[in-house]
Amino acid sequence: MDEIIHKLVKRFKSNDPFVIAEGLNIRVKYVAFEEGTRGLYYRKLRRRFIVIDSNLSEDWKRVVCAHELAHDRLHPGLSRFWIDQHTFFNTGKFERQANVFAVKLLTCLVAPEIDESNESYLLRCGIPKQLHHI
């Protein structure tokens, strides 16, 4: 996973998931989903799509894009829905991997400052508190 992230960041000179998705020719669309769904990734006729809930904050849109990008890179051929539940991330191996990928991608170009708490570092990188346990 770290190797994949490193190659993507090096290739696109950015850790912005939207820049990477565009460079990989993955179309990003926005839709107002019902509560509980933040995004999804799917392939249709050799085209790849990331669909993000248009009602999310900008930080969450970045996280969801990175998460769905992980499905493209780590789980080729699978279309996965990222669905909220009460436990939020108790959704299986593929979802946990995509969450870890998203956090690693979004933090890879930002070093923690001296004596900075982990929470402060993650917030500075735009990682919502719900993902700080990763």
Side-chain angles (χ1 to χ4, degrees), residues 59 106-107 110-129 131-133:
D59 281 346
L106 296 173
T107 60
V110 181
E113 295 177 358
I114 297 173
D115 295 330
E116 182 177 30
S117 71
N118 193 45
E119 182 177 353
S120 176
Y121 169 66
L122 292 172
L123 288 172
R124 186 164 54 87
C125 293
I127 308 297
K129 285 187 178 188
L131 297 175
H132 289 192
H133 68 281

Side-chain angles (χ1 to χ4, degrees), residues 2 10 18 24 28 30-31 36 39 48 67 70 81-82 100 102 108 119 122 126:
D2 292 335
K10 184 177 178 182
F18 296 102
L24 294 171
V28 177
Y30 298 92
V31 174
R48 297 172 295 168
H67 175 100
F81 286 79
W82 189 18
V100 170
C108 72
E119 182 177 353
L122 292 172

Side-chain angles (χ1 to χ4, degrees), residues 6 17 23 36 43 47 49 51 57 73 76 90 93 96 133:
H6 175 74
R43 295 176 67 129
R47 292 189 180 129
F49 299 89
V51 185
S57 70
R73 300 285 89 190
N90 193 14
K93 178 182 175 181
R96 284 191 302 276
H133 68 281

Side-chain angles (χ1 to χ4, degrees), residues 11-105:
R11 178 176 172 191
F12 298 107
K13 297 174 180 47
S14 176
N15 70 333
D16 184 329
F18 296 102
V19 170
I20 295 170
E22 182 180 343
L24 294 171
N25 201 27
I26 300 172
R27 296 177 181 166
V28 177
K29 304 289 183 189
Y30 298 92
V31 174
F33 284 122
E34 297 286 325
E35 186 174 331
T37 302
R38 294 183 179 198
L40 62 95
Y41 168 80
Y42 71 97
R43 295 176 67 129
K44 186 172 183 177
L45 302 174
R46 297 188 200 168
R47 292 189 180 129
R48 297 172 295 168
F49 299 89
I50 292 173
V51 185
I52 301 172
D53 184 356
S54 60
N55 296 314
L56 296 175
S57 70
E58 292 305 312
D59 281 346
W60 270 111
K61 287 177 183 175
R62 286 180 65 240
V63 169
V64 171
C65 187
H67 175 100
E68 301 303 341
L69 187 61
H71 287 306
D72 178 74
R73 300 285 89 190
L74 301 176
H75 315 126
L78 297 177
S79 294
R80 306 297 293 178
F81 286 79
W82 189 18
I83 300 174
D84 288 331
Q85 296 176 350
H86 269 321
T87 55
F88 194 43
F89 291 109
N90 193 14
T91 55
K93 178 182 175 181
F94 294 130
E95 296 304 302
R96 284 191 302 276
Q97 286 177 342
N99 290 333
V100 170
F101 182 98
V103 171
K104 285 185 173 194
L105 176 65

